[in-house]
Amino acid sequence: MINETSRPGTPSAREQTDSPADRSAITPADAISRSPSATLYRRERTLPPWFPTFIGRGIIRDIRARAPHYLSDWTDAWNYRVVPAIVLIFFANVLPGIAFSLDLIETTQQYGVSEVLLSSFMAAFIFSIFGAQPLCIAGVTGPITVLNKTIFDIIERQPDAPDYLQFVGWVYLWGAILHWITAALNWCNFLRYVTLFSCDTFGFYVSWVYLQYGVQVIIRQFPLDDSSTPPSPSTDSSIASLDGAFVGIILALLMTVTSFLFRTLSQSAYFHRHVRRFFADYGMPISLVASSAMAYWGRFNAANPTTLPTGHAFMPAGDRPWLVRFWELDGKWVGIAFPFGFALWVLFFFDHNVSSLMAQGTEFPLRKPPGFHYDFFLLGVTTFIAGLFGIPAPNGLIPQAPIHTTSLLVMGHLKKLDLEGGASSSNDSTPLPGLNRDEKRAVPEKVRAETADDDTPVSRTRSRIHAPRTDEMLEPDPTQSRDGEGDARRHEIPVAVVEQRVSNLAQGSLCLVLLTGPFLHVLNLIPRGVLAGLFWYMGVDALQGNGITRKILYSFRDKALTPADEPLRRVRKSRIMLFVAVQLIGFGATMAITQTIAAIGFPIIIFLLVPVRMWLIPRMPFTEDELAILDGPTASPFTMESVGGSM
């Protein structure tokens, strides 16, 4: 006898409970069973009862959600914002990646500049062509160089040490397998529990790593002793090396100060708005080129400052074969490589996904869906390829990933506001003044209608404590004269992002161009002191936008001079300091462990930030309103739909 749920005209229990997203993933067998003649067999399973039917569901949904936008990802790149994004992210990705790897290159003698450039190109190519979210920039990071160097230090102490690249190949293979399992089992849904508490703490750690590496680059230019360098006929070698080290310090300070000078000018009321936008887009690359050129001027050139090491074009370090035969490794080392592969998986699960979350933060008006599960599967592919070719494994970059999205922002004005009372000017009928034709084309009609509405309040923007300084970092227009009056203040806000794949692919292709002989020679001309300045600039810039820094600075502010609408005013200062103290403990533990041989376990410390936020913080004396102000989701609900929503 047929029950009610199996009648042809009655929806089955499965059809009644499935969400639209679940129904979109119905198998062909289910589709056939919709016919009346097949309803008797609807409850028969073709798979064992213990087999999980949700395997790969997240990957499939990510592909289906992003596939309709694939063509527009290329056509939308016809916008000027893509050009400065390519230039900015190329310098911000390649040079820090090489500088991070200097310690690894000099210690292991197994990697070179060619490996770093090839790794950056591979990541850019795969994620821009096949990835679901091409805005997330992947490359060689400081944490992966720390992990690789720690692996080298551990295995080299063994009496029968294995071949380093073969061992790392197995580490990467184990890590890749864990990546694929994670993506297939939809474990990226765990990201719903990652809030600003974890992201700010990890971003704070990365910022200080940048500052630390800048200091290390400077220190390593000083000679260890008088016999460290063969003497020169004209002068003593130690004096020449010492002169070069001091010139490196000057170049580092010049690079840092000049970059901040350009950024300050871009936020000032001086020059035309297009000039200020030019400073914001190209200030850092111009500072880098100018500081490098100073090294070859006058007595600076005579000091012979240390420059970047390079090798042969398209050749790995030591002219070894590109293919690493990791399958020839002794069996016992294959098993020993698994714990290292697990540590790699933990690091990449947090680092890459947090980078992707920050690149799709709530402050960015994105319109195209993300794809965390599918992109993490692709990260497993790049990790495996990295082990096969003996190159450092790439993953998401902080702060380069959010910098990339910020450089693609299209800014617009809500209204011309009266400086005294904030009233809208009634004779302003232009919805988005100041945008060129390409930028207006990137703004959705819905956004144009919202920004043209007279009743739209400025409070639509996020609170200052949760939103980064997009209105300060990129093309602010604090004072613009109108009819001879300089008191008409026009506040610019992000109205759109040029979401496309070309900028990521182009900056990766430039890495491949650098592998040619002539450009390797140009790369060799860049002084290491300039890289130290670049580290300091990026580290300080990231610290200024970090939530921990803002909360600390707020505690020193005069309450009488603090705006009345400041969200932190509604939180007791003792609670702010308690919240920050927990974050600083996590930061200190991570920084401390990376300075020891136990650095292989630092990804675990980073990962533990999430359960601390989930279970420890709510048990502390915070009210729900205070936690809502002190913490918040990293990305918008639209972005978090891919992982099942926010916490």
Side-chain angles (χ1 to χ4, degrees), residues 182 335 502 518 526-527 538 603:
T182 299
V502 172
I526 300 177
M538 296 183 66

Side-chain angles (χ1 to χ4, degrees), residues 462-517:
R462 288 178 54 84
S463 66
R464 282 186 292 273
I465 191 60
H466 286 168
R469 301 163 293 110
T470 51
D471 56 334
E472 300 173 4
M473 287 190 298
L474 190 61
E475 200 187 349
D477 206 358
T479 306
Q480 180 168 329
S481 298
R482 175 185 174 89
D483 298 331
E485 299 177 359
D487 59 349
R489 187 174 294 270
R490 303 177 65 192
H491 298 270
E492 291 190 332
I493 64 167
V495 295
V497 177
V498 185
E499 302 178 62
Q500 39 71 48
R501 299 176 181 269
V502 172
S503 58
N504 196 353
L505 179 61
Q507 67 89 18
S509 300
L510 290 176
C511 297
L512 197 64
V513 172
L514 278 182
L515 277 172
T516 60

Side-chain angles (χ1 to χ4, degrees), residues 123-124 126-128 131-139 141 143 179 188 191 194 199 202 206 344-360 371-380 382-383 393-398 401-402 504 606:
I126 290 180
F127 281 101
S128 61
Q133 183 48 271
L135 294 179
C136 183
I137 300 296
T141 64
H179 279 64
C188 287
L191 293 177
V194 177
C199 293
F202 184 63
V206 172
L344 175 73
W345 168 75
V346 173
L347 172 64
F348 279 12
F349 181 83
F350 192 88
D351 195 358
H352 182 82
N353 285 317
V354 167
S355 302
S356 185
L357 281 173
M358 295 178 70
Q360 305 171 78
F372 293 98
H373 306 279
Y374 176 63
D375 281 348
F376 200 69
F377 176 85
L378 286 183
L379 188 65
T382 60
T383 302
N395 72 299
L397 297 173
I398 299 175
N504 196 353
I606 296 173

Side-chain angles (χ1 to χ4, degrees), residues 301-333:
N301 187 27
N304 194 24
T306 309
T307 60
L308 284 177
T310 55
H312 299 99
F314 295 101
M315 289 299 296
D319 294 336
R320 63 170 176 84
W322 274 112
L323 184 64
V324 176
R325 300 179 178 273
F326 64 89
W327 54 86
E328 297 178 356
L329 188 67
D330 188 64
K332 75 169 185 176
W333 292 106

Side-chain angles (χ1 to χ4, degrees), residues 101-292:
S101 304
L102 286 178
D103 191 21
L104 187 65
I105 293 171
E106 296 170 354
T107 302
T108 65
Q109 301 294 320
Q110 301 288 335
Y111 296 109
V113 173
S114 298
E115 283 84 346
V116 177
L117 293 174
L118 185 62
S119 177
S120 299
F121 165 73
M122 175 192 66
F125 179 82
I126 290 180
F127 281 101
S128 61
I129 299 293
F130 305 104
Q133 183 48 271
L135 294 179
C136 183
I137 300 296
V140 179
T141 64
I144 188 60
T145 58
V146 171
L147 185 68
N148 280 0
K149 183 178 180 298
T150 305
I151 293 175
F152 179 83
D153 293 337
I154 292 176
I155 66 173
E156 287 300 312
R157 297 183 179 185
Q158 309 305 316
D160 56 340
D163 181 83
Y164 172 72
L165 290 180
Q166 291 183 358
F167 184 80
V168 171
W170 274 104
V171 171
Y172 285 4
L173 178 58
W174 285 122
I177 292 174
L178 292 175
H179 279 64
W180 297 330
I181 293 174
T182 299
L185 297 182
N186 312 310
W187 287 351
C188 287
N189 288 338
F190 181 78
L191 293 177
R192 73 179 69 178
Y193 304 108
V194 177
T195 63
L196 289 175
F197 171 85
S198 305
C199 293
D200 284 344
T201 307
F202 184 63
F204 198 76
Y205 162 74
V206 172
S207 301
W208 279 100
V209 166
Y210 271 78
L211 297 176
Q212 176 192 12
Y213 265 84
V215 175
Q216 288 182 1
V217 169
I218 291 295
I219 291 177
R220 289 175 182 173
Q221 297 184 66
F222 285 88
L224 297 177
D225 50 57
D226 292 344
S227 60
S228 60
T229 309
S232 169
S234 58
T235 183
D236 182 75
S237 63
S238 62
I239 296 178
S241 298
L242 191 61
D243 288 345
F246 282 116
V247 169
I249 296 177
I250 296 174
L251 295 176
L253 294 175
L254 180 64
M255 171 66 193
T256 306
V257 172
T258 309
S259 298
F260 276 109
L261 177 62
F262 276 115
R263 200 187 76 172
T264 302
L265 289 175
S266 71
Q267 300 169 7
S268 69
Y270 299 104
F271 307 107
H272 189 271
R273 65 182 300 272
H274 295 305
V275 176
R276 295 196 302 273
R277 189 63 183 250
F278 179 84
F279 288 160
D281 290 338
Y282 301 104
M284 188 270 283
I286 291 175
S287 301
L288 191 144
V289 174
S291 301
S292 300

Side-chain angles (χ1 to χ4, degrees), residues 462-642:
R462 288 178 54 84
S463 66
R464 282 186 292 273
I465 191 60
H466 286 168
R469 301 163 293 110
T470 51
D471 56 334
E472 300 173 4
M473 287 190 298
L474 190 61
E475 200 187 349
D477 206 358
T479 306
Q480 180 168 329
S481 298
R482 175 185 174 89
D483 298 331
E485 299 177 359
D487 59 349
R489 187 174 294 270
R490 303 177 65 192
H491 298 270
E492 291 190 332
I493 64 167
V495 295
V497 177
V498 185
E499 302 178 62
Q500 39 71 48
R501 299 176 181 269
V502 172
S503 58
N504 196 353
L505 179 61
Q507 67 89 18
S509 300
L510 290 176
C511 297
L512 197 64
V513 172
L514 278 182
L515 277 172
T516 60
F519 286 97
L520 278 178
H521 176 70
V522 173
L523 193 64
N524 180 248
L525 297 177
I526 300 177
R528 296 194 185 188
V530 175
L531 292 187
L534 179 60
F535 272 127
W536 292 343
Y537 168 71
M538 296 183 66
V540 173
D541 184 65
L543 278 179
Q544 288 182 329
N546 189 273
I548 296 178
T549 308
R550 295 183 187 178
K551 294 181 180 72
I552 293 175
L553 293 178
Y554 171 81
S555 64
F556 293 100
R557 295 183 64 176
D558 186 349
K559 189 173 183 180
L561 300 177
T562 304
D565 60 347
E566 169 60 52
L568 287 177
R569 289 177 65 104
R570 303 197 300 270
V571 183
R572 292 165 290 178
K573 283 196 174 181
S574 60
R575 298 299 179 262
I576 297 176
M577 289 296 97
L578 179 60
F579 190 85
V580 171
V582 177
Q583 291 181 299
L584 291 179
I585 291 173
F587 157 73
T590 306
M591 182 64 75
I593 197 174
T594 54
Q595 309 304 316
T596 67
I597 192 63
I600 194 69
F602 84 94
I604 307 297
I605 303 296
I606 296 173
F607 191 79
L608 288 177
L609 294 172
V610 179
V612 166
R613 173 60 184 91
M614 289 171 55
W615 293 310
L616 178 61
I617 296 295
R619 298 177 182 272
M620 301 180 110
F622 297 105
T623 65
E624 292 185 3
D625 292 338
E626 289 175 336
L627 281 180
I629 295 173
L630 293 172
D631 196 13
T634 305
S636 64
F638 168 72
T639 300
M640 299 304 293
E641 285 179 3
S642 175

